């Protein structure tokens, strides 16, 4: 932790295991990092260090929303043999395209030591590959 003039900068690397092509909620782990930082008012930035997965803030109550999102994105960016880049298999290039259409970073305000997410919002790591991976997310918290 680095502190300059009352502003705290705190970082933590989360290593998250994914399931094949799925959305995994990790809101609690990010909130734990916010709590560990001691920041009451500030900003939490999260950054995914990969090019075939993404981050989304989305509905956390009805799993049909996540299923519909996966179906939509798989129809928008289908797998097939029409991509030049296929070094790691037929899901490789579609995973890169899906990441380009989504996000690899998010910013969430911190209020009263908590993530200022809406009632139905959760933070998800969206795995776009056919097999499980271990992904790294950097959590950076700034505030006081």
């Amino acid at each position: 932790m680095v502190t300059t003039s009352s502003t705290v900068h705190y970082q933590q690397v989360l290593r998250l295991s994914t399931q094949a092509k799925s959305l995994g909620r990790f809101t609690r782990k990010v909130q734990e990092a916010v709590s560990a930082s001691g920041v009451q008012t500030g900003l939490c930035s999260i950054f995914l260090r990969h090019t075939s997965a993404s981050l989304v803030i989305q509905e956390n109550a009805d799993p049909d929303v996540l299923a519909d999102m996966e179906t939509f994105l798989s129809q928008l960016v289908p797998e097939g043999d029409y991509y030049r880049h296929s070094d790691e298999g037929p899901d490789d290039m579609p995973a890169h395209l899906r990441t380009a259409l989504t996000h690899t970073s998010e910013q969430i305000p911190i209020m009263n030591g908590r993530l200022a997410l809406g009632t139905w919002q959760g933070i998800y790591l969206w795995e776009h590959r056919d097999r499980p991976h271990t992904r790294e997310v950097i959590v950076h918290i700034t505030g006081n």
Side-chain angles (χ1 to χ4, degrees), residues 82-87 93:
Y82 27 82
Y83 301 107
R84 285 186 226 165
H85 177 73
S86 61
D87 293 349
M93 190 60 210

Side-chain angles (χ1 to χ4, degrees), residues 15-139:
R15 286 176 182 78
L16 305 172
S17 296
T18 67
Q19 304 282 328
K21 284 190 185 163
S22 63
L23 287 120
R25 186 169 50 184
F26 68 106
T27 314
R28 183 176 306 161
K29 291 180 185 223
V30 178
Q31 180 56 53
E32 288 170 358
V34 170
S35 297
S37 76
V39 168
Q40 292 298 302
T41 304
L43 186 65
C44 177
S45 299
I46 54 177
F47 175 74
L48 178 64
R49 300 177 70 175
H50 301 277
T51 61
S52 56
S54 55
L55 299 174
V56 294
I57 295 176
Q58 198 44 257
E59 166 82 43
N60 67 9
D62 185 352
D64 286 344
V65 172
L66 303 178
D68 286 342
M69 287 176 54
E70 288 197 68
T71 299
F72 174 80
L73 199 55
S74 68
Q75 291 172 349
L76 184 65
V77 184
E79 293 180 11
D81 60 359
Y82 27 82
Y83 301 107
R84 285 186 226 165
H85 177 73
S86 61
D87 293 349
E88 297 176 36
D91 69 326
D92 192 14
M93 190 60 210
H96 292 300
L97 291 170
R98 292 170 185 160
T99 298
L101 294 171
T102 53
H103 300 134
T104 55
S105 65
E106 294 284 353
Q107 291 77 44
I108 305 126
I110 299 168
M111 297 171 59
N112 300 317
R114 309 257 333 137
L115 294 166
L117 292 168
T119 301
W120 307 113
Q121 289 182 315
I123 305 167
Y124 293 85
L125 172 56
W126 196 347
E127 179 61 63
H128 300 303
R129 298 300 307 273
D130 282 336
R131 60 188 185 279
H133 286 81
T134 298
R135 303 297 192 173
E136 289 187 350
V137 176
I138 299 171
V139 180

